[in-house]
Amino acid sequence: MKQEPYEPFSKLWDQLSKWLKLDAAGPSPEGNVRPLHQQKPKKPGRRRFWSFAGALVVILFFFLARGIYLYTEWLWFGEVGFTSVFWKMIYTQVGLALAAGAIFFAVVYGNVMLARRMAPRYQFGPGTEVIERAPVPDRLMRLLIPLSLILPTLIAAGVGGAAWEEFLKFLNGSSFSLADPVFGRDVGFYIFSLPFMRTLQSFVWWTLIFTLLATAAIHFFDYAISWSEDRVVFAPHVKGHLSVLMGLMMFTLAAGYLLKGYVLMFSPRGVVFGASYTDVHAQLPVYKFLAAVAMVAGALFLVNIYVRGWKLPVIAIGIIVLTSIFAGRVYPFIVQQYRVSPNELAKEEQYIKYNIDFTRKAFDLEPVRDQAFSAVDTLTATELQANTATANNIRLWEPRTLGQTYNQIQVIRPYYSFKDVDVDRYTINGKLQEVMLSPRELKSGALSAAAQTWQNEHLVFTHGYGLTMSPVAQSTAEGLPQLLIRDIPPQSDSPELAVQNPAIYYGEQGNDYVIVRGSIQEFDYPKGDDNVYTTYEGKGGVDVSSPLHRLAFSWRFASLKLLVSDAVTGETRIMYHRDIEDRIQNIAPFLQYDRDPYVVLVDGRLFWIQDAYTTASDYPYSQPVSEGYNYIRNSVKVVVDAYNGDVTFYVNDENDPLLQTYRKIFPDLFTPGDQMPAELRKHLRYPEDLFKAQATTYATYHMTDPRVFYNKEDLWSVARTTMNGKQVTMDPYYVIMRLPNEQQEEFMLLLPFSPNNRDNMIAWMAAKSDPGAYGERLVYKFPKDKLVYGPTQIQARFNQDPSISAEVTLWSQSGSQVSYGNLLVIPINDSIIYIEPLYLKAESGQIPELKRVRVSYGGRVAMAEDLSAALQKIFSAPVAGLPQKTSTTGTTTTGTATTPSTEPAAALTIKQLSDSAMEHYNKALDAQKRGDWATYGEEIKLLEDILKKMQATGA
C-alpha cells in the first residue's frame, strides 16, 4: 500500500545530510533525488576540518593535563612509599570505568544498530512516489549514533569508576562473626557485598532503560513505529526487540526488589532504627511478591514475542504498579496503624532488643563498665592535698583563648601563626604533667605584599619553626601562660623538652608547594635584626632535577618560573601535599579522620598524630549518629614526620573487620601497631570525635531493657554549659586524675551526662589513654535520689554570688572584655569540684589574661586570683602544693610556681602594715579613676591580705 512520507523527519535528515556534506553529488539527471548510498561526499571543507581539529585539541589537552597530574601523583606516592596503593586505586578505577563504559556502549550501540539492521528497506518509484517509507540513511546514522553515545558512555564510565571502593570491598570482604536476626546474613554481607550489588543492579537498570529509549527512538525514526488510526503500530520485528529489552528490565527490577528486602535492615519506620514488625511482616512479603510478579512479567514479555498484542505484559506491569502503590504503601500503613500502634511495645519489643544489641556492638559500647559514684560533700583540704597530682593538672586555659595569647606573645614574626592548641601530657622532672602546646607554622600569605614573590613563597620561606608549650594550670602574675617551651630557637628549662629539630615542613598550614635544596638558601629563623638561613637536609620531597620532572611540575603548578629558574640544581626537591590532612587523605581516602590532629615532641623531633576511623552506614539495626555512620572504630593511628613528611599508618585495632578488609586490599599500607616506637605510644590519646559519638550513643543505649528503652525512663544527654551567653553541649576534655579505688593518676578523656531536658548531672564517662589501659571506658553513675548540680546550674550560682558578680560587673563597665573558659567537672575521690577560669582582655588589647578562677564545691562558691586561693576559700584552709600566681607581696617565687613567704606576719610592725595598706588603697583609687579595673581588683586583694595580717597580730 502506498504511503505518504513523514515530511518533518525527511526535512530533518536532509538538513543533517547537507551539513555533513553527504549530498554533494547533486540531483540525478532525471531530476529526482539520488539515493544517498549512491552519493559521493566531497573532501572535508574548511569549517568541518577546523571543527574536528578544535575538538581533537580539547580532547588531547584534557588527557595531557590529566596524564601529567597522574604522573606527578605517581612520583609523590613514590616519595611516601605507597606506590602500590596508587596503582591499586588507579587500576581499579580505570578498569571499572572502562568496563562500565564498554558494557554500556556495547549494549546501547548493539541494540541500536540491530534496530537499524531490522529497519524497513526502501525504494523510489517514478517521480516522487513513495512505495515504502525510507529509513534514515545508514551513512548518516553510523556517524550520529556513536557521537550521541559519547556523553552517556562517559557518564556510565564515571559511575563505574566511582564504585572502585565498593568493588574492592565486595571482593575482599571479611566476616563480623555476627548474623542479622531476620535473614541470618553475616553483618559483612551488608557492609561489603550489598552496596556493590545495589550499585550493579542500578547500573544494569539504567543501562536497559537508556537502551530501550534509544532503540525505540531509532525504530520510530526509521518508520518501524508509526501512528495509524489513533493507535501505535509496531512492525513485527520491533515488538520482539522491545519485548526482550523490557523482559530484561523486569528481571532486573525483580533483583532490585529482592535487594530492597535486605535494605529493610536500615529502615527508620519503627520506633527504632532497623527492620520493625511492620517491615518484617508487611513490607518484606510485599517486596517478595513484587519480585515474583516482576519475574512473571519478564517471562510474559518474552512470551509476548510470539503472541499478538501487548495485553499480557501490560497486565503484569499493571500488577506491579498497583501492588507497589497499594500493597507497598497502603498495606504496611494499615498494619502499622491498626495492628502495631495499639499494642506497639508488645509488637516491637524484640526489634527494640535487636536495635539495642546491634547499636552497642557497632559503637563498641559493650566493654563499657558501670560503677556507682556517691558524689558526697565530705572532701577535706587534707584529702585534696593527697590529690595534688589531679589538682595541679586542672586545665585553666581554654584552647581558643590560649591560641590568641600565643599568637600575641610568641609568634615573633607576623608570618608565623599558631593555628590550633592541643592538650597532651609529658613527663617533666619525673612527674606526669598535662600541658598545652602548639606548633609555630609558617603562613606565607601573611608576608607583606612586597615580599610575596615567587622566590620568597616557594624557595625562601619554606617552613615553620618550633613550638610553644605551657602547663594547663599555671599562669604568671600578669595572667599570661607560664611557658615550658618558648621563643626562637626553642628554649626550655627541662631537658626532656629540648627541641633538636624544630623545622616544620609539614603541618596543618601546608601552604603551597616549596622547593628545597636549591641554589638559594631557605630562611630558617629570625635572630635579632638578622636572619639565619639553612639548606634542607631531610629526605622529603620529589626530585625535580630532571627536565621531564621540571616540565611536569611546571605544567601542574602553572608556573613557567619553575621551569626556567636557575635555583633548581641536581639536588633540588619539590614538596607538595604538605598539609597533613590532605597528605593523609590522598593516600587513604577511604578512611575517616578526626578533626583534631596534634603535634608531639619525641626525642627532640616533631611528629603529627592523626586518628583515623573505619566507618560504615550499613550496619544492621544500628542507630546512626548525626554524621550519618552507624559503625565506627579507631583502627588506625597515623604518624607524620613534620620534617621529612614520612607517613605511617599504624594498626590500632587488629579485630576490626573493616580494617581487615582494607589490609587485604592494600597489604603494603598498614604497619602493625606493635612496631610503633614506645615514646610515640606514650602520647596516644583516646580521640575526641570517637568519644563524643560513643558518649552520645551511650546516653540512650545504656538502657538495655527494651521496656525501659521504649518508655525512655532513663534517657540521658550530654551535659550542657553556657558559652558566650548561649547554652551549648559540652565537649569532652582531657584530664590527669586518679579514678576512684585506683592507685595511679592517668591521662583520660572525660564528659558528664545530665538527665534528658534537665540541668543536673546524672553520670560521667571516662576513657583512658595511657599505654596498658588504652581504650578502657568507665561510666560513674550518681545516686538517682541525690541532686548533683550540672554545669549550667553552677554557672548560674557563680553569677548570682554578690561579690563575684560585682567584680565582673566592674570589669565589664570599664570596657574590658570578660570571657569564661570551659567549666570543668573534676571528680576527686567520691566528690565533685567545679572549676571555671575567667579571662580579661582590654578594650583595645588582643591578649586575653587569666585573671580569676571560680570554684564551687559542696554548695559553696568562691573566686580568687588562682586555683590555690580559690580552693583555700572553699575549704577554709590552705592546700599545699598547688600552683599559685607570682605575687610581689607576701610570696616568693620558686621555679614556675609560688609559695607563701615564710616571713612571719608579726615581724612586720603595725606602722609598716598600715603604711602598706594605705599605699595599696591609694593605688586602687588611682586605678579606679583611670578605669583600670584589673589593677583595681588586684590592689583591693592585696589590701585584703594586709588587713588579715593586721587582724592576726591583734591590731
Side-chain angles (χ1 to χ4, degrees):
M1 184 178 66
K2 296 181 179 180
Q3 299 174 330
E4 294 294 330
Y6 191 48
E7 291 298 330
F9 288 113
S10 298
K11 293 180 179 179
L12 172 64
W13 304 137
D14 289 344
Q15 290 297 324
L16 286 173
S17 298
K18 182 178 180 181
W19 184 80
L20 293 170
K21 306 298 183 181
L22 296 178
D23 59 345
S28 65
E30 292 78 9
N32 295 328
V33 177
R34 184 176 298 173
L36 288 174
H37 69 279
Q38 298 179 9
Q39 298 177 6
K40 296 181 180 180
K42 288 183 178 179
K43 293 181 180 180
R46 181 175 298 177
R47 182 176 63 179
R48 182 180 176 188
F49 170 78
W50 286 113
S51 297
F52 280 104
L56 182 61
V57 169
V58 171
I59 293 173
L60 289 177
F61 182 85
F62 171 80
F63 282 102
L64 178 63
R66 187 62 182 169
I68 291 175
Y69 175 81
L70 290 177
Y71 176 67
T72 55
E73 284 297 281
W74 172 66
L75 293 175
W76 181 82
F77 271 87
E79 175 209 344
V80 294
F82 296 119
T83 306
S84 62
V85 175
F86 172 81
W87 285 121
K88 188 64 168 284
M89 290 191 290
I90 292 297
Y91 286 154
T92 307
Q93 292 179 56
V94 173
L96 284 175
L98 290 176
I103 291 172
F104 178 87
F105 184 86
V107 170
V108 178
Y109 184 77
N111 278 274
V112 167
M113 294 310 295
L114 179 62
R116 289 287 302 145
R117 290 178 63 86
M118 294 188 298
R121 306 319 299 166
Y122 59 90
Q123 64 183 45
F124 288 94
T128 59
E129 183 181 18
V130 178
I131 298 176
E132 293 184 15
R133 289 182 176 178
V136 181
D138 286 337
R139 185 185 182 97
L140 179 63
M141 295 306 293
R142 281 198 301 268
L143 179 62
L144 287 179
I145 290 173
L147 288 177
S148 64
L149 289 180
I150 290 177
L151 181 59
T153 300
L154 290 177
I155 294 175
V159 171
W164 68 272
E165 185 180 347
E166 291 179 352
F167 176 71
L168 289 175
K169 289 196 291 186
F170 174 78
L171 295 181
N172 298 276
S174 303
S175 172
F176 278 73
S177 301
L178 176 66
D180 80 86
V182 177
F183 297 101
R185 291 273 192 173
D186 187 87
V187 171
F189 167 79
Y190 296 93
I191 293 179
F192 303 122
S193 301
L194 185 59
F196 181 72
M197 294 169 67
R198 295 184 67 194
T199 299
L200 183 61
Q201 185 270 340
S202 177
F203 175 80
V204 173
W205 171 257
W206 287 108
T207 299
L208 290 173
I209 286 182
F210 191 90
T211 303
L212 178 68
L213 296 176
T215 304
I218 293 298
H219 284 307
F220 185 68
F221 291 157
D222 281 343
Y223 310 115
I225 301 176
S226 60
W227 292 90
S228 178
E229 298 178 358
D230 297 329
R231 66 188 182 91
V232 181
V233 177
F234 295 89
H237 64 279
V238 174
K239 179 183 176 184
H241 193 181
L242 299 184
S243 293
V244 171
L245 290 176
M246 297 186 72
L248 294 175
M249 288 177 59
M250 291 301 101
F251 294 142
T252 305
L253 183 63
Y257 280 126
L258 292 177
L259 294 178
K260 279 187 175 182
Y262 292 114
V263 178
L264 289 176
M265 292 296 100
F266 325 121
S267 170
R269 186 201 302 270
V271 294
V272 293
F273 187 83
S276 63
Y277 179 93
T278 300
D279 292 319
V280 174
H281 293 87
Q283 193 69 64
L284 182 58
V286 167
Y287 283 152
K288 291 180 178 179
F289 176 75
L290 286 171
V293 173
M295 292 291 289
V296 172
L300 290 176
F301 271 111
L302 298 182
V303 172
N304 192 59
I305 299 173
Y306 308 100
V307 178
R308 292 192 60 180
W310 295 84
K311 291 183 179 180
L312 292 178
V314 168
I315 292 173
I317 292 178
I319 293 175
I320 292 175
V321 172
L322 293 176
T323 304
S324 62
I325 294 176
F326 293 100
R329 297 179 181 274
V330 177
Y331 175 59
F333 175 79
I334 293 173
V335 171
Q336 180 69 31
Q337 289 297 114
Y338 300 104
R339 191 170 183 180
V340 175
S341 295
N343 196 19
E344 191 170 52
L345 179 57
K347 296 294 184 182
E348 300 282 14
E349 184 172 357
Q350 66 172 325
Y351 303 103
I352 295 174
K353 182 62 176 174
Y354 296 155
N355 174 262
I356 294 172
D357 293 342
F358 277 75
T359 300
R360 288 173 63 88
K361 287 182 173 68
F363 287 90
D364 196 28
L365 299 180
E366 291 189 323
V368 176
R369 292 185 288 133
D370 293 347
Q371 296 188 19
F373 191 88
S374 57
V376 294
D377 297 331
T378 59
L379 187 67
T380 64
T382 302
E383 292 174 327
L384 183 60
Q385 187 169 328
N387 287 273
T388 52
T390 297
N392 281 331
N393 288 288
I394 294 174
R395 179 166 60 82
L396 300 181
W397 286 99
E398 194 269 331
R400 287 182 294 271
T401 301
L402 185 60
Q404 296 175 30
T405 303
Y406 280 176
N407 275 304
Q408 291 298 317
I409 67 175
Q410 278 292 303
V411 290
I412 311 299
R413 291 290 188 272
Y415 40 77
Y416 288 127
S417 173
F418 295 99
K419 181 180 180 181
D420 183 37
V421 177
D422 299 308
V423 180
D424 201 356
R425 73 287 199 193
Y426 288 78
T427 300
I428 303 173
N429 298 325
K431 294 183 179 181
L432 187 66
Q433 185 164 2
E434 187 173 343
V435 300
M436 304 180 78
L437 67 162
S438 183
R440 185 183 291 104
E441 297 192 66
L442 181 73
K443 191 174 181 180
S444 60
L447 291 169
S448 64
Q452 290 185 22
T453 64
W454 182 84
Q455 179 174 300
N456 277 343
E457 292 181 331
H458 299 290
L459 282 87
V460 178
F461 291 90
T462 59
H463 58 277
Y465 202 84
L467 74 160
T468 296
M469 179 188 293
S470 58
V472 296
Q474 300 175 19
S475 64
T476 66
E478 295 79 14
L480 301 177
Q482 292 186 355
L483 302 178
L484 298 172
I485 301 178
R486 61 195 178 275
D487 301 337
I488 296 178
Q491 304 294 318
S492 176
D493 297 328
S494 301
E496 301 96 330
L497 302 180
V499 184
Q500 299 171 4
N501 191 349
I504 303 172
Y505 284 85
Y506 302 89
E508 292 186 275
Q509 299 187 119
N511 300 310
D512 206 347
Y513 69 93
V514 296
I515 299 169
V516 297
R517 289 190 192 171
S519 61
I520 299 176
Q521 281 196 311
E522 307 163 47
F523 168 77
D524 199 22
Y525 63 89
K527 187 177 182 180
D529 294 333
D530 300 322
N531 293 329
V532 176
Y533 292 87
T534 187
T535 298
Y536 180 71
E537 298 179 354
K539 57 182 181 180
V542 175
D543 173 62
V544 74
S545 59
S546 72
L548 177 61
H549 287 187
R550 291 179 69 173
L551 182 62
F553 287 114
S554 296
W555 180 290
R556 170 167 179 162
F557 297 114
S559 174
L560 184 62
K561 294 177 181 178
L562 178 58
L563 181 63
V564 301
S565 175
D566 294 333
V568 178
T569 69
E571 298 293 326
T572 302
R573 306 180 73 82
I574 183 170
M575 295 179 175
Y576 51 109
H577 290 309
R578 297 197 303 133
D579 182 293
I580 59 169
E581 182 178 356
D582 169 59
R583 193 173 186 83
I584 295 169
Q585 286 186 341
N586 202 46
I587 299 171
F590 42 84
L591 298 176
Q592 303 297 317
Y593 298 95
D594 195 89
R595 59 184 170 180
D596 185 28
Y598 58 101
V599 70
V600 298
L601 174 63
V602 174
D603 297 330
R605 301 182 60 189
L606 299 176
F607 298 87
W608 294 92
I609 297 180
Q610 171 75 72
D611 287 285
Y613 308 115
T614 53
T615 61
S617 56
D618 305 309
Y619 199 98
Y621 276 109
S622 176
Q623 177 67 40
V625 294
S626 58
E627 290 77 8
Y629 57 81
N630 64 356
Y631 172 88
I632 185 171
R633 291 292 186 275
N634 177 214
S635 297
V636 180
K637 300 284 187 179
V638 188
V639 177
V640 181
D641 189 313
Y643 187 70
N644 289 321
D646 296 333
V647 184
T648 308
F649 291 78
Y650 289 105
V651 174
N652 190 52
D653 186 353
E654 297 275 358
N655 299 319
D656 175 25
L658 258 175
L659 182 63
Q660 292 171 2
T661 294
Y662 286 130
R663 294 182 77 176
K664 293 178 187 177
I665 298 172
F666 304 105
D668 300 328
L669 177 59
F670 300 98
T671 301
D674 56 13
Q675 296 184 21
M676 178 182 286
E679 289 303 313
L680 270 176
R681 186 171 294 279
K682 291 179 181 178
H683 293 279
L684 295 184
R685 308 185 312 187
Y686 199 84
E688 292 183 61
D689 286 354
L690 173 64
F691 188 69
K692 286 182 69 174
Q694 291 177 327
T696 302
T697 304
Y698 190 85
T700 300
Y701 286 87
H702 70 278
M703 299 179 288
T704 56
D705 185 293
R707 294 180 176 272
V708 175
F709 187 98
Y710 175 80
N711 293 313
K712 299 296 186 288
E713 297 175 17
D714 194 21
L715 183 63
W716 300 350
S717 61
V718 175
R720 299 179 66 80
T721 185
T722 302
M723 291 289 292
N724 300 320
K726 299 180 180 179
Q727 282 200 9
V728 296
T729 301
M730 289 188 71
D731 289 324
Y733 48 93
Y734 292 100
V735 295
I736 289 179
M737 59 174 286
R738 176 156 46 92
L739 291 173
N741 303 318
E742 296 195 8
Q743 302 300 317
Q744 185 68 36
E745 286 80 13
E746 298 175 86
F747 184 72
M748 63 188 66
L749 202 53
L750 191 145
L751 190 64
F753 295 105
S754 296
N756 194 43
N757 295 323
R758 295 180 62 185
D759 293 330
N760 61 293
M761 286 198 306
I762 191 68
W764 55 276
M765 175 184 275
K768 298 182 178 182
S769 295
D770 290 338
Y774 180 91
E776 289 185 18
R777 285 149 298 148
L778 303 96
V779 170
Y780 292 87
K781 297 181 178 180
F782 301 140
K784 292 187 177 181
D785 58 352
K786 182 180 180 65
L787 174 64
V788 179
Y789 288 122
T792 56
Q793 293 172 320
I794 293 297
Q795 288 172 318
R797 297 203 62 198
F798 284 147
N799 296 332
Q800 293 166 1
D801 183 84
S803 59
I804 294 176
S805 61
E807 194 166 357
V808 172
T809 300
L810 285 174
W811 281 328
S812 300
Q813 290 177 347
S814 70
S816 298
Q817 299 179 34
V818 179
S819 61
Y820 300 95
N822 305 118
L823 185 142
L824 304 183
V825 179
I826 305 297
I828 297 181
N829 291 352
D830 291 320
S831 300
I832 293 290
I833 295 179
Y834 307 86
I835 296 169
E836 183 181 51
L838 183 149
Y839 311 105
L840 198 64
K841 185 166 63 174
E843 185 175 9
S844 59
Q846 297 296 322
I847 304 179
E849 299 174 354
L850 176 60
K851 285 302 181 183
R852 295 291 184 269
V853 179
R854 308 199 296 189
V855 177
S856 176
Y857 173 74
R860 299 183 293 276
V861 296
M863 184 171 75
E865 288 186 352
D866 52 45
L867 180 61
S868 176
L871 289 174
Q872 182 172 340
K873 287 184 176 182
I874 290 290
F875 291 96
S876 301
V879 182
L882 296 184
Q884 300 170 319
K885 282 188 175 181
T886 303
S887 176
T888 57
T889 302
T891 60
T892 59
T893 302
T894 305
T896 58
T898 58
T899 56
S901 172
T902 56
E903 181 182 2
L908 299 174
T909 65
I910 299 299
K911 179 68 167 60
Q912 290 173 322
L913 289 172
S914 60
D915 290 344
S916 180
M918 182 58 66
E919 178 185 357
H920 288 297
Y921 176 72
N922 291 330
K923 288 181 178 180
L925 290 178
D926 291 339
Q928 185 181 35
K929 293 176 182 178
R930 298 193 308 270
D932 185 357
W933 299 107
T935 303
Y936 173 82
E938 292 174 358
E939 295 298 333
I940 291 297
K941 178 62 174 63
L942 295 173
L943 176 60
E944 178 187 7
D945 293 339
I946 294 173
L947 293 175
K948 287 181 178 179
K949 290 179 181 180
M950 295 177 66
Q951 185 179 27
T953 61

